[in-house]
Amino acid sequence: MLKSIWFIVNIALLKGCFAETPETYLLKSHSLPPDLNFMPTLGNGHLGYTVFGDAIFMNGVYNGAGGNSKRARIPNWLNISSEVCDRFGCASGEDVEVNGTSYEMDLRDGYFRERTTYRKLGFTVEQRTYTHKFYNRALVYEVVVTRLDSRNTRANAPKFLKLTQYPGNSSDAFDFVLVSNGSSSSGDYRTLRGRTKVLEFEKFQTDPQEIFVLFSQSLEQPLQVQWPTWQEQLSYSIIITMDRDESVARKELQDVLKLSSRTLLQKHTESWNSFWDNEFSIELKGDALELSQIVNAGIFYLVSSLPSINTNQKNEPFYGLSPTGLGRGNLEADYQGHNFWDTEIWMLPVVTQFGLEYAKQVLDYRHRKLEAAKYHANATGYKGARFPWESAYTGTEVTNPCCPEVAQQEIHISPDISFALQRFYSQSLDKEWACNTAWPIAAEVAKFLVSRASCDDSQNMCHFLKVMGPDEDHPDVNDNVYTNAVSKIALDFAEWLGPMCGNTSTELFERWRELSDRLLILQDEVLNYHPQHQGYILNTTVKQADTILLGYPLRFDISSTHLNDLRFYANATRESGPAMTWSMFSANYLVSRQDKLANEYFERGYKSYVRPEFKVWSETPLGYEGSANFLTGIGGFLQTLIFGYGGLDFGRVGDQFSMIIRRTLTPPNVDEIHINSIPYEDAKCSFTIRFQSSEIVCWDRFGPGFQMVQDQRRTFLGRSFNFTHRNEDPPIEISFLR
Ligand SMILES: *[C@@H]1O[C@H](CO)[C@@H](O)[C@H](O)[C@H]1NC(C)=O
Ligand SMILES: *[C@@H]1O[C@H](CO)[C@@H](O)[C@H](O)[C@H]1NC(C)=O
Ligand SMILES: *[C@@H]1O[C@H](CO)[C@@H](O)[C@H](O)[C@H]1NC(C)=O
Ligand SMILES: *[C@@H]1O[C@H](CO)[C@@H](O)[C@H](O)[C@H]1NC(C)=O
Ligand SMILES: *[C@@H]1O[C@H](CO)[C@@H](O)[C@H](O)[C@H]1NC(C)=O
Ligand SMILES: *[C@@H]1O[C@H](CO)[C@@H](O)[C@H](O)[C@H]1NC(C)=O
Ligand SMILES: *[C@@H]1O[C@H](CO)[C@@H](O)[C@H](O)[C@H]1NC(C)=O
Ligand SMILES: *[C@@H]1O[C@H](CO)[C@@H](O)[C@H](O)[C@H]1NC(C)=O
Ligand SMILES: *[C@@H]1O[C@H](CO)[C@@H](O)[C@H](O)[C@H]1NC(C)=O
């Protein structure tokens, strides 16, 4: 059985190498989005930019004090445009027929291109840009011009290419100085050194951040490249490399320039193809071309903000995922490139499926910023570690001065992080990581919660007073149910993890247990639902999914009370709510088998949020101003597909961790969803989800093998298995034999 599985994987690989990009991975448009913020955002975890935008951003590089800290804008020197000219002038838009230009985002090969045909003048121009996935300090611009008829080299055939750079205004974040002018005689490259102007918080940042930018070719003045009439095709590349370390940026440029442009592109596309073929993909069968494109684009835009795992030079530490990704962060609408709960609650559950290493690098940011979170707890009068609502370079609070109450009151971010640690452990089962990375965070968060709670001994009850839940329309409330529920999970996890990691502070554990037991979970006995907070009146409008999260993702309450929450809050949620709100209604309706509603909300969760041209997400539905490249919405949408429709779950009951397969469903017009591949500890699984059943294939080459528990019967499955689960069967639990 094992052999046949590997065989299939290999066939897929071979096909990938030689195939044209399938339609499901090719986003093609003859027109640009009316708002250029909805152009594709490309990135590789080190650098990112939005096509045609005015900025390039580098992982972890911010400028500005406290709440004014935002990603430090580097002018978009990659925004280059080529014209074909002769001594009388250059070909212009007027020489292009209607629809003669096509803009394409190739998701499978990982680049953006613009192709223009000048039929009358007899040539085509193709321009490509991308952030290299393997040489990840490098940004690439490439132009290829081709004569349409090689025999007809007319006298008026074009003579040269003119490359012009449009980087936008100079940067207000950096002081740039010219280190070298890149005279070709000395074999040197044009080099700029940039230093950020303002520190974020002196206690945790002593010096400005410094970056080096190297250019293969200066484009300060437009560059002319000769195109002899006898030459059928001409190609020209501009490479820009950037790093905090000048020698790293220099080596990257040298390494890249050793390659032909064809090999350079091939290295990049191979790296992307390998992601889709070996790391993760979702394939939909049925009448689902557009939905497939949205799914693939969603995965692509998320991965673009994550570090490449396999790179030419060692990566720097990763500074986390921001709601609009690495390629944005200059605007208020870009959340200034900060980290929020969006990272752990909305994006991470999907990122984990791409590979455990991606999730580790995301969570590692929180681990590295634990000292800052402890400082923040102390500075605001509490113990333990309090993660700021928004964080950037230093890990201290950087919430925009506009909105101090979210920073003061959205304390749920800290237990959200613990919840994510537990969820990741349930899937990775990595004890070393759990004790080195998760435990220090979980313990400090538990201490914070104890110090933040207000307990009433006479009633044997504890509360969180003056908080704000995910529903930001309601500040200053007591006992937000979501906050209290996720805090219970965080306390229980810390209490479980401590002894597992050999810690013997039983007094601490008892305190955590006691708080968890005594925290109030509001419930209305008459209407049998959870009021969102003390004094919540039924039908009061809320901003977004809040109390309903008790079902999925918290799995804290899936009783009839939760079903009523779904009923009541569905009507009370704002029309203009963010995308993932509707995705969460869908995921929860799937759990409760209300399939019709689940399908309705699933469609509502993406249809009016995704802009048509390049399937870029907006935070708000069409007609409302909202953030572009909204990865948080993508996270909610893909979670619904994988954990809602796919019926998949990883969980803990007591000391027992398992992968759980529940009933499955396919969205409207989709016959089959194939998910390849889900990591489970060191094993891999793939799922084929059909309307009434699912097929699960797992293989664990070197591990102890799997067992299955169904109806309390245990079955040994061996090191690989291929199992069909029908919807009428009870859920199955799969775990490792130990
Ligand atoms: C980027 O270049 C395009 C032309 O290719 C231009 O339309 C756009 O305005 C430029 N962006 C900036 C920020 O200058
Ligand atoms: C250009 O493309 C648009 C959209 O694809 C199409 O509706 C239109 O008919 C095309 N125009 C021409 C002249 O081909
Ligand atoms: C660029 O700078 C000019 C002059 O300072 C200003 O008017 C313009 O708004 C700036 N453009 C952008 C996109 O910031
Ligand atoms: C750098 O070289 C360019 C020509 O390549 C020249 O125009 C410019 O003045 C030089 N700048 C300095 C500071 O030497
Ligand atoms: C904050 O830290 C200082 C110095 O360690 C300590 O004296 C103070 O008690 C701490 N505050 C709280 C609320 O724990
Ligand atoms: C257990 O963990 C607590 C909380 O972080 C820490 O203060 C204590 O030193 C640890 N004790 C032992 C014995 O490891
Ligand atoms: C809430 O709205 C429903 C109709 O949507 C109505 O039947 C009910 O009485 C309202 N409840 C309250 C407390 O206003
Ligand atoms: C929600 O609104 C719909 C349509 O207005 C109504 O039919 C339904 O009864 C309402 N549900 C609740 C629980 O109020
Ligand atoms: C699993 O089994 C099904 C039917 O028994 C078969 O169609 C499918 O090809 C198998 N999958 C793999 C990966 O072996």
Side-chain angles (χ1 to χ4, degrees):
M1 195 185 273
L2 198 57
K3 247 186 194 154
S4 69
I5 293 167
W6 287 115
F7 180 69
I8 286 165
V9 170
N10 282 330
I11 294 270
L13 250 180
L14 281 177
K15 268 166 80 186
C17 282
F18 299 106
E20 282 269 301
T21 298
E23 251 185 312
T24 48
Y25 286 87
L26 195 62
L27 312 177
K28 216 167 165 173
S29 173
H30 287 300
S31 58
L32 295 174
D35 177 354
L36 290 185
N37 284 310
F38 291 93
M39 290 300 287
T41 296
L42 306 187
N44 57 21
H46 177 66
L47 297 167
Y49 69 99
T50 299
V51 174
F52 297 153
D54 71 349
I56 296 169
F57 297 108
M58 192 188 289
N59 169 39
V61 182
Y62 293 82
N63 180 63
N68 293 314
S69 170
K70 56 182 175 180
R71 286 200 202 279
R73 178 180 156 262
I74 302 165
N76 188 0
W77 287 303
L78 192 66
N79 197 39
I80 299 164
S81 183
S82 292
E83 294 165 283
V84 178
C85 310
D86 61 20
R87 68 197 154 89
F88 303 111
C90 303
S92 73
E94 286 159 27
D95 301 308
V96 185
E97 286 141 54
V98 177
N99 294 348
T101 299
S102 121
Y103 304 94
E104 294 175 20
M105 182 62 239
D106 188 323
L107 303 168
R108 202 177 144 77
D109 287 348
Y111 60 80
F112 178 81
R113 72 174 161 189
E114 178 182 337
R115 290 202 284 191
T116 303
T117 303
Y118 295 86
R119 200 160 295 287
K120 272 182 277 169
L121 301 176
F123 57 88
T124 62
V125 179
E126 174 169 340
Q127 304 177 80
R128 277 194 281 264
T129 69
Y130 57 95
T131 51
H132 206 287
K133 196 162 165 60
F134 177 74
Y135 295 99
N136 67 343
R137 273 61 172 195
L139 300 161
V140 182
Y141 168 85
E142 188 178 21
V143 54
V144 182
V145 286
T146 311
R147 296 189 204 281
L148 286 173
D149 187 345
S150 56
R151 286 155 304 170
N152 182 17
T153 50
R154 290 167 296 183
N156 65 349
K159 301 287 194 319
F160 65 89
L161 260 184
K162 185 173 148 202
L163 281 72
T164 313
Q165 201 173 41
Y166 301 98
N169 283 348
S170 59
S171 173
D172 57 354
F174 290 96
D175 285 316
F176 279 107
V177 295
L178 186 67
V179 175
S180 162
N181 204 8
S183 66
S184 51
S185 56
S186 67
D188 209 357
Y189 306 109
R190 179 177 159 78
T191 304
L192 299 177
R193 186 190 63 219
R195 285 211 179 109
T196 56
K197 292 184 179 171
V198 185
L199 304 181
E200 186 174 295
F201 185 51
E202 269 177 61
K203 189 176 165 63
F204 289 94
Q205 181 182 10
T206 47
D207 299 304
Q209 298 204 60
E210 189 171 70
I211 65 163
F212 291 88
V213 185
L214 276 72
F215 299 83
S216 64
Q217 181 82 47
S218 170
L219 279 183
E220 271 192 300
Q221 306 297 324
L223 179 73
Q224 295 194 0
V225 182
Q226 293 307 312
W227 186 16
T229 45
W230 48 264
Q231 204 172 327
E232 191 183 334
Q233 191 174 66
L234 172 71
S235 112
Y236 198 83
S237 306
I238 302 283
I239 314 292
I240 304 169
T241 63
M242 299 188 197
D243 199 85
R244 287 189 175 84
D245 183 337
E246 185 177 9
S247 64
V248 170
R250 179 178 307 279
K251 176 171 162 43
E252 200 81 333
L253 187 54
Q254 286 165 342
D255 289 352
V256 162
L257 291 177
K258 279 178 202 147
L259 307 175
S260 70
S261 61
R262 190 192 148 92
T263 311
L264 182 64
L265 178 63
Q266 201 179 351
K267 268 274 193 197
H268 174 71
T269 59
E270 275 170 12
S271 186
W272 267 108
N273 293 353
S274 164
F275 172 82
W276 296 111
D277 291 332
N278 306 322
E279 296 188 282
F280 190 76
S281 63
I282 297 180
E283 196 185 321
L284 307 179
K285 293 217 175 103
D287 180 14
L289 173 60
E290 177 152 48
L291 186 57
S292 297
Q293 290 179 334
I294 291 170
V295 166
N296 289 334
I299 297 168
F300 177 84
Y301 293 130
L302 258 180
V303 172
S304 296
S305 281
L306 290 168
S308 291
I309 302 292
N310 184 17
T311 53
N312 184 41
Q313 301 184 76
K314 194 168 171 286
N315 281 334
E316 293 184 312
F318 186 56
Y319 279 79
L321 282 163
S322 184
T324 65
L326 175 58
R328 308 187 60 82
N330 198 37
L331 306 173
E332 306 270 294
D334 294 329
Y335 293 93
Q336 298 166 296
H338 296 165
N339 283 276
F340 294 69
W341 76 314
D342 302 50
T343 305
E344 277 79 10
I345 298 296
W346 299 105
M347 298 183 248
L348 192 68
V350 175
V351 166
T352 306
Q353 310 319 318
F354 301 163
L356 301 178
E357 184 54 31
Y358 296 102
K360 278 189 186 171
Q361 295 205 19
V362 172
L363 288 168
D364 186 54
Y365 169 73
R366 299 297 190 185
H367 185 245
R368 293 198 320 275
K369 299 302 168 194
L370 185 57
E371 280 312 309
K374 283 185 181 170
Y375 169 85
H376 184 49
N378 179 286
T380 52
Y382 302 104
K383 306 258 185 265
R386 172 181 186 175
F387 284 90
W389 178 241
E390 300 186 25
S391 72
Y393 177 62
T394 62
T396 53
E397 181 65 78
V398 288
T399 294
N400 195 305
C402 73
C403 318
E405 68 284 358
V406 296
Q408 286 155 14
Q409 299 176 15
E410 285 203 63
I411 61 165
H412 64 85
I413 177 131
S414 296
D416 289 341
I417 292 170
S418 294
F419 168 76
L421 295 170
Q422 168 166 272
R423 189 166 177 177
F424 179 69
Y425 179 70
S426 305
Q427 186 167 355
S428 67
L429 302 174
D430 184 336
K431 290 208 160 112
E432 198 183 316
W433 171 87
C435 296
N436 294 338
T437 304
W439 163 242
I441 300 175
E444 295 302 324
V445 166
K447 289 183 203 167
F448 164 68
L449 292 173
V450 169
S451 74
R452 180 62 173 74
S454 308
C455 292
D456 177 349
D457 290 332
S458 67
Q459 302 215 330
N460 198 27
M461 214 161 258
C462 298
H463 312 270
F464 286 122
L465 306 179
K466 285 177 92 62
V467 300
M468 183 193 275
D471 168 19
E472 292 168 334
D473 289 353
H474 288 96
D476 265 329
V477 300
N478 297 341
D479 289 319
N480 168 264
V481 175
Y482 173 84
T483 303
N484 290 16
V486 76
S487 297
K488 271 178 185 274
I489 295 172
L491 290 160
D492 294 351
F493 178 55
E495 187 207 0
W496 175 83
L497 189 55
M500 204 275 277
C501 293
N503 188 294
T504 51
S505 304
T506 40
E507 244 177 73
L508 264 183
F509 307 153
E510 271 163 29
R511 223 169 296 154
W512 299 346
R513 167 89 272 126
E514 198 188 334
L515 175 58
S516 170
D517 288 344
R518 293 168 74 192
L519 263 181
L520 173 66
I521 300 293
L522 287 172
Q523 187 156 352
D524 182 317
E525 300 300 338
V526 179
L527 292 167
N528 186 27
Y529 87 114
H530 295 109
Q532 187 179 276
H533 46 259
Q534 295 274 17
Y536 176 80
I537 295 166
L538 193 67
N539 295 347
T540 308
T541 305
V542 302
K543 179 186 171 192
Q544 63 173 73
D546 184 316
T547 308
I548 66 151
L549 302 177
L550 261 57
Y552 182 86
L554 295 194
R555 303 222 188 265
F556 180 84
D557 186 345
I558 49 168
S559 68
S560 60
T561 314
H562 168 65
L563 297 186
N564 283 334
D565 290 344
L566 288 174
R567 278 201 321 132
F568 291 140
Y569 289 107
N571 279 9
T573 307
R574 256 209 238 154
E575 278 290 308
S576 57
M580 62 286 177
T581 288
W582 317 120
S583 296
M584 285 304 105
F585 273 103
S586 177
N588 278 292
Y589 281 131
L590 284 161
V591 174
S592 64
R593 304 185 171 216
Q594 301 180 67
D595 297 346
K596 190 167 161 284
L597 285 168
N599 287 338
E600 278 172 31
Y601 277 99
F602 178 68
E603 298 200 329
R604 185 167 177 190
Y606 75 88
K607 283 203 163 155
S608 62
Y609 292 86
V610 179
R611 297 297 180 256
E613 298 84 2
F614 303 108
K615 312 302 176 207
V616 173
W617 284 66
S618 171
E619 178 175 16
T620 48
L622 268 173
Y624 295 89
E625 282 277 314
S627 306
N629 197 40
F630 193 55
L631 302 182
T632 309
I634 295 173
F637 165 75
L638 291 175
Q639 283 193 51
T640 300
L641 213 50
I642 300 168
F643 304 104
Y645 285 100
L648 178 67
D649 191 13
F650 294 89
R652 168 167 82 94
V653 178
D655 281 341
Q656 184 64 48
F657 285 88
S658 50
M659 173 165 81
I660 300 144
I661 318 287
R662 298 197 167 83
R663 77 188 266 279
T664 58
L665 193 78
T666 49
N669 301 323
V670 177
D671 300 326
E672 198 175 296
I673 309 173
H674 184 71
I675 305 180
N676 190 43
S677 59
I678 300 273
Y680 184 30
E681 198 192 58
D682 294 330
K684 290 271 194 186
C685 299
S686 71
F687 293 78
T688 306
I689 295 148
R690 304 201 177 89
F691 184 58
Q692 295 287 4
S693 68
S694 62
E695 192 181 289
I696 306 108
V697 179
C698 295
W699 56 101
D700 181 26
R701 286 178 87 188
F702 307 109
F706 302 96
Q707 63 176 348
M708 175 173 77
V709 184
Q710 187 172 29
D711 281 344
Q712 300 183 344
R713 272 180 299 116
R714 273 167 205 280
T715 318
F716 176 61
L717 292 172
R719 282 187 176 164
S720 74
F721 65 88
N722 178 350
F723 183 87
T724 300
H725 180 257
R726 289 180 309 266
N727 274 1
E728 59 268 28
D729 299 338
I732 56 170
E733 288 168 35
I734 289 165
S735 54
F736 291 92
L737 270 178
R738 295 258 187 254

